[in-house]
Amino acid sequence: MGTGNLTYQDVVTVDLNVLITAAKDWDDMARTFDDLGGLYGAKVESIANDGSWTGVSSNVAYTRFTNTRKQFTDAHTEAHAIASLLRSAHERFSKLIGHVRNLVEQAEKDEMTVNGVGEAVYDFRKLTPMRHDPDYPKYVTQVKDAEAAWTKKIKDAVQAVDDEDQVVGRALREAAGVGSFLEQILDPLGQAQSFNGAAVGDLTTYEKEVKKEEAEQRAEAERKKKHDDTVRTIGNGIVKGLSIFNGEPGPDLGSKFIGTLIDGVANATGYNKTRGITLGVGAGWGGGGIGYSITLAETQTPDGKTQIGILTSKSIHSAGADFGVSATAGEFYSNADDIGQLEGKGWDKGGSAKLGLGLYGNHQTEVGTTNSKGKGVNVIEYGLGAGLGAEIGGGYSDAKSRWQTEVGSEKK
């Protein structure tokens, strides 16, 4: 959580008594605002609501007097909350800084000296009498390990103070109603600022907010890492595919390359929960075509079960120059984690190159369907096709489940 703003010297030399003094001043301020608010209500606000003043001007005055009276109330709430936060901060900092100093004392009892940056240092001259001892190297190693251990403990303790300092700083800013950096730039005179009648004097409340933001930042960092890992894995798959393509001649050279690439993409992006084989037939003409396929699918569900099913699909596509009758046989991968997610309508995008026997690839987006993680369900398919022509285009398909079974047990 910490940013390293506080140093070891900051921690061991700070005077915490100023927090108690400031808390007392804020308590006095809260009482003053309370007294002023009461006086204002009795001497000013009452003029507009005691019935002796009527008319439009009375109504306007009543609204303004009421708002001003509320400002006194809000100012009392804010001052009281800040005083409470300062006292809590003093209590927490006293414990945390006390822990730092206690660690320093323990390190010194372990014959260490803690320098100005919080590092535990041992005077190795004390080992000089043992330099001819066969175990001398072991003694040196043990001392160095002890130095590192004490240094880490002290560093972690200082970091805990820095973490708490951020929580306290966040709490004081919010309790005082201090806007963000951008808000302050847009309102340099503070005209949009007011007393914070919703100020809370409990550090735990603000600590939860800070931890929530940290969790969101970690989640975002994890998403970025996952994205980077995905790109890296896909790149490795392409490199591996090119290696196969360049180094292993044979009639199924292209399918080897595409297979390697698809495997890399599937494993990296989560398109490995569902896989299977698809057999299809189609008829094409100059501007489009129709098709029918049968699919054997296997799915790993979130609760650890294995589903096996058979689906059939009808499709219409519009593109390319695919004449006559064609047939395809291929593999598919999907991020679906239930076979039922493969049913229904989908939009297809794909391409093929066939002169007798050739390759094809297809990507399908299931319409209005998501998996257990809330992500849209997609299917990647590739394989061999027999036909004539080349095409890049899109289409529409509708799949139905014909048979399905499920094995395995739920995860404990």
Side-chain angles (χ1 to χ4, degrees), residues 228 266 321 400:
D228 293 344
K400 294 182 179 180

mmCIF file of all heavy atoms in Angstrom, residues 228 266 321 400:
data_model
loop_
_atom_site.group_PDB
_atom_site.id
_atom_site.type_symbol
_atom_site.label_atom_id
_atom_site.label_comp_id
_atom_site.label_asym_id
_atom_site.label_seq_id
_atom_site.Cartn_x
_atom_site.Cartn_y
_atom_site.Cartn_z
ATOM 1 N N ASP A 228 -0.827 -9.289 -21.161
ATOM 2 C CA ASP A 228 0.544 -9.372 -21.672
ATOM 3 C C ASP A 228 0.962 -10.824 -21.868
ATOM 4 O O ASP A 228 1.630 -11.162 -22.854
ATOM 5 C CB ASP A 228 1.508 -8.684 -20.707
ATOM 6 C CG ASP A 228 1.289 -7.176 -20.651
ATOM 7 O OD1 ASP A 228 0.632 -6.649 -21.561
ATOM 8 O OD2 ASP A 228 1.761 -6.546 -19.687
ATOM 9 N N ALA A 266 -5.804 -20.765 -27.942
ATOM 10 C CA ALA A 266 -6.806 -21.377 -27.071
ATOM 11 C C ALA A 266 -6.335 -21.433 -25.631
ATOM 12 O O ALA A 266 -7.060 -21.066 -24.702
ATOM 13 C CB ALA A 266 -7.143 -22.785 -27.582
ATOM 14 N N ALA A 321 -16.026 -16.845 -53.738
ATOM 15 C CA ALA A 321 -16.327 -17.557 -54.980
ATOM 16 C C ALA A 321 -16.185 -19.036 -54.686
ATOM 17 O O ALA A 321 -15.174 -19.651 -54.990
ATOM 18 C CB ALA A 321 -15.386 -17.120 -56.083
ATOM 19 N N LYS A 400 -28.352 -26.535 -32.707
ATOM 20 C CA LYS A 400 -29.258 -27.207 -31.772
ATOM 21 C C LYS A 400 -28.574 -28.434 -31.185
ATOM 22 O O LYS A 400 -27.825 -29.126 -31.867
ATOM 23 C CB LYS A 400 -30.542 -27.619 -32.493
ATOM 24 C CG LYS A 400 -31.379 -26.440 -32.964
ATOM 25 C CD LYS A 400 -32.667 -26.922 -33.620
ATOM 26 C CE LYS A 400 -33.512 -25.737 -34.074
ATOM 27 N NZ LYS A 400 -34.783 -26.183 -34.718
#
